Amino acid sequence: MSNTIPHEEGMDNTLNLLKEGYRYILNRRRNYNSNVFETRILGKKAICMGGKEAVELFYHLEKFKREGAAPNRVKQTLFGKKAIQTVDGANHQHRKEKFMSLMSPDNLNRLKRILKQEWRTAAKHWEQLEQIIFYEEVQKLLCKTACEWAGVPVAEDELERLTNDLVAMYESPAAIGPNHWKGRHARNRVEKWVAELVEKVRNEQIQPSENTALYTFTSMRNLDGVLLDKETVAVEVINILRPIVAISIFINFTLLALHNHPEEREKLVSDDGKYAHMFIQEVRRYYPFFPFVVARVKQDFIWNNYKFEENTLTFLDLYGTNHDPEIWDKPDLFHPQRFSEWKGSPFEFIPQGGGDYVMGHRCAGEWVTIEIMKESLDFLLNSLEYEIPEQDLSYSMTSIPSIPHSKIVLKMIKIRE
Ligand code: HEM
Ligand code: MYR
C-alpha cells in the first residue's frame, strides 16, 4: 500500500519556480509539511525533495539515474553532450576515476602555487587602476590559473574571450533569450577550440604534462579500450576549466561576507587555519549558488509509503538542504562557528552535491573549490588592501546563479608587502 505524494496544483509551475528561485522547494516543503512533493516543471511531472533522508535516497545507485535527466538547455550550456554528468553505472565510475586522479595532494598543491602567483600578478595590475570590478577580475585570474593547471595553452590575447565564454556557460543555463543563447554559442566555440588542441596532442604538436586534465582525458580509453572521441575530451576538459572560473562567485561571496561581518576578520587574522576552513564552509552553505540537481527514477520503488514511478524527473534541493532547520540551527544566520561541532556527513551539507565521489555524481572539484577559496581568502585578508565604495551589494534569491548586483567595485587597491 502506498500514499500519494503531496501535489502542487496547476498545469505547470515553472513560473512559481522562477518567482521563488532558491526558496521554491523549501517553501513548499514547509507548506505541505513534507520533504517530498509532486509538481509540473517545464511541462512535465516532477518530484521535488530535500532534507537528509531525501539526499540519501537521491544518491542511492539503484534508485536514480542521470540518463535523460538534464534538460536540453542545461546540456547545451553547462554540461555538454555525453558529459560525465549524464552518464551512469560502470562508464560513469570509469570516467569519474580519471577526474579524481587529478585531485591528488601534489596536484592540488601545484594548483595552489599557480593561483598564488596569479593573485599577485593581478593585484599588481589593479594597483595601477582607479577601480576594478572584482567579479570580472577574479574570473580572469581563475581562467589563467585553470588553463595552466589543466595543460591548456592559451595566448594572452585569447584569454578574455575564453574567460567570457566559460562564464557564459555557467551563467546561462537558467537564463532566457539572448543571455541563454550566449551560453550555447560560447560552448560551441570553446568545444571546437579544445577539440583542435586534442588533435594537436594526439599528433604530438603539443605535449601537456601527465598530471594535467588535457593529457588525462586525451589519453583516456573507454571500458571497450577505445580512445575517447575528441568532442568528449573537449567536454570533460571544459568540465575542469569552467567550474574553476565559476569559483569567482564563491570568492565574491567570501569578500561580501568579510564586508558584512567585520567581526569575522579579527577571528580570521589570528587564526591557524581552522577558522578559515569553517568560514569557507559557511560561505558555501549560506550563499545561494547551485540550486538543485536532477535525476530520473531508475525503476519503480516505494519510499516512506510514497510511490516513485520509473522515469519520473526528480529535483534534489541543494540550497534548501543547506538551509534545512532540521539540520542547521538558525539556518539563515551566517555563523562559521557552527562548523566547529559539525561531524561531517555526505548527506547534510551539499553545496556541491552529496554521496560518494567515485560511485556517485558528487562534485569532482569540491577539494579544488575549497583550496582555491582558502588561498583566495588568505590573499584578501593578508596581502590586499582595498576600499569598497557605496554600491548595491545586494543579491537576488531568484537569479540563478546569483551574483552581488554591483559585481563588487573595489578602489584604492594596494598589495601589503
Ligand atoms: C558536479 C557544484 C566547482 C567539476 C557538480 C555538481 C554540483 C556541483 C552541484 C553535481 C552533483 C550531482 O549531480 O549530484 C559545483 C559548485 C562549484 C563547483 C557550486 C563551485 C564553483 C567544481 C570544480 C570542478 C568541478 C572547481 C573541477 C575542477 C565537477 C564535475 C562534476 C561536478 C566534473 C560532475 C561529477 C559527476 O557527474 O560525477 N558540481 N561545482 N566542479 N563538478 Fe562541480
Ligand atoms: C559548474 O560550472 O559546473 C559549477 C557552477 C555552476 C553553477 C550553475 C548554476 C545554474 C544551475 C542551473 C540548474 C541545473 C539543473 C540541473
Side-chain angles (χ1 to χ4, degrees):
M1 284 296 285
S2 62
N3 295 329
T4 48
I5 298 179
H7 211 110
E8 179 172 27
E9 294 298 317
M11 293 286 284
D12 191 276
N13 297 302
T14 312
L15 216 59
N16 289 342
L17 170 61
L18 295 176
K19 269 199 285 202
E20 293 173 52
Y22 286 96
R23 293 204 169 265
Y24 168 80
I25 299 178
L26 206 51
N27 289 344
R28 280 155 191 73
R29 277 173 62 201
R30 194 174 322 122
N31 291 347
Y32 300 136
N33 195 22
S34 168
N35 285 333
V36 41
F37 64 89
E38 200 181 296
T39 185
R40 292 189 71 82
I41 305 281
L42 296 173
K44 300 206 177 70
K45 171 177 149 182
I47 292 175
C48 295
M49 56 190 197
K52 185 182 179 190
E53 279 194 329
V55 181
E56 276 177 286
L57 178 73
F58 188 85
Y59 284 103
H60 195 298
L61 295 176
E62 292 313 312
K63 300 243 178 338
F64 288 94
K65 60 179 182 189
R66 302 303 174 103
E67 190 200 335
N72 189 41
R73 56 166 37 243
V74 176
K75 277 193 285 193
Q76 299 279 5
T77 53
L78 190 67
F79 294 165
K81 288 188 210 87
K82 295 199 255 169
I84 184 163
Q85 288 93 335
T86 64
V87 178
D88 295 296
N91 287 329
H92 170 265
Q93 190 186 331
H94 181 61
R95 199 151 335 150
K96 194 65 173 283
E97 276 162 2
K98 288 288 173 203
F99 271 99
M100 298 318 289
S101 74
L102 296 167
M103 309 302 167
S104 68
D106 275 357
N107 224 17
L108 291 179
N109 281 332
R110 183 169 68 87
L111 173 65
K112 280 198 283 187
R113 281 197 300 276
I114 301 169
L115 178 68
K116 219 180 176 113
Q117 187 55 47
E118 291 305 333
W119 267 109
R120 284 219 157 256
T121 310
K124 274 199 189 118
H125 172 57
W126 302 341
E127 280 185 317
Q128 317 300 316
L129 306 175
E130 183 132 336
Q131 63 173 49
I132 62 157
I133 299 173
F134 187 63
Y135 178 46
E136 291 173 2
E137 292 297 320
V138 176
Q139 289 166 2
K140 273 188 268 179
L141 81 86
L142 288 178
C143 184
K144 250 182 123 171
T145 305
C147 287
E148 189 176 338
W149 190 59
V152 170
V154 56
E156 199 60 37
D157 64 351
E158 291 171 326
L159 196 74
E160 191 161 320
R161 161 102 263 161
L162 179 62
T163 307
N164 292 340
D165 279 348
L166 294 168
V167 169
M169 286 182 213
Y170 72 73
E171 285 190 349
S172 62
I176 44 166
N179 284 337
H180 175 70
W181 281 94
K182 203 168 138 187
R184 290 190 182 222
H185 294 313
R187 168 162 289 283
N188 292 340
R189 260 193 305 271
V190 182
E191 278 187 11
K192 187 164 173 280
W193 178 70
V194 180
E196 281 163 16
L197 289 177
V198 174
E199 273 186 345
K200 287 186 185 160
V201 178
R202 287 190 172 155
N203 61 33
E204 295 179 16
Q205 274 174 274
I206 51 175
Q207 285 167 322
S209 70
E210 282 189 19
N211 50 4
T212 62
L214 183 58
Y215 178 89
T216 300
F217 292 114
T218 300
S219 57
M220 179 186 167
R221 290 175 190 275
N222 280 325
L223 286 170
D224 54 12
V226 177
L227 281 172
L228 245 60
D229 59 77
K230 64 179 193 285
E231 289 77 20
T232 308
V233 177
V235 163
E236 300 304 23
V237 171
I238 293 169
N239 252 337
I240 294 287
L241 303 180
R242 181 204 66 253
I244 291 182
V245 176
I247 301 172
S248 56
I249 293 191
F250 271 149
I251 296 175
N252 258 48
F253 282 132
T254 302
L255 192 138
L256 187 67
L258 286 175
H259 179 68
N260 287 344
H261 307 277
E263 70 288 356
E264 295 293 329
R265 197 174 262 275
E266 286 144 44
K267 295 182 214 163
L268 285 162
V269 169
S270 57
D271 171 44
D272 60 356
K274 278 207 188 91
Y275 198 76
H277 184 77
M278 294 193 272
F279 188 87
I280 291 306
Q281 297 294 65
E282 184 67 343
V283 169
R284 295 197 308 132
R285 185 197 70 82
Y286 178 81
Y287 291 100
F289 194 173
F290 213 117
F292 39 70
V293 280
V294 290
R296 279 187 189 275
V297 176
K298 195 169 169 183
Q299 54 197 353
D300 287 4
F301 66 86
I302 309 253
W303 179 71
N304 287 354
N305 276 336
Y306 294 136
K307 184 162 186 205
F308 284 67
E309 278 175 5
E310 185 173 338
N311 244 9
T312 310
L313 202 61
T314 305
F315 288 67
L316 176 73
D317 191 9
L318 304 184
Y319 176 84
T321 303
N322 289 339
H323 287 257
D324 187 335
E326 283 178 27
I327 303 175
W328 310 97
D329 183 33
K330 300 195 182 75
D332 296 325
L333 269 191
F334 184 83
H335 183 54
Q337 199 69 44
R338 68 174 80 245
F339 280 98
S340 69
E341 291 108 51
W342 192 65
K343 302 271 186 302
S345 150
F347 305 114
E348 291 176 324
F349 175 49
I350 54 167
Q352 296 177 224
D356 185 68
Y357 289 102
V358 175
M359 299 306 289
H361 286 269
R362 186 180 188 132
C363 176
E366 195 162 17
W367 306 328
V368 164
T369 308
I370 293 171
E371 292 308 324
I372 287 187
M373 287 176 75
K374 273 194 201 161
E375 200 62 49
S376 303
L377 173 64
D378 179 66
F379 192 82
L380 290 177
L381 276 174
N382 300 315
S383 303
L384 204 66
E385 286 175 21
Y386 52 86
E387 282 179 16
I388 304 182
E390 205 48 42
Q391 59 191 287
D392 182 4
L393 290 170
S394 66
Y395 56 91
S396 159
M397 288 303 291
T398 54
S399 306
I400 295 175
S402 178
I403 302 149
H405 288 123
S406 66
K407 301 184 177 175
I408 313 195
V409 176
L410 299 182
K411 284 189 158 176
M412 306 291 285
I413 296 177
K414 260 196 152 62
I415 299 180
R416 215 178 276 159
E417 292 306 336

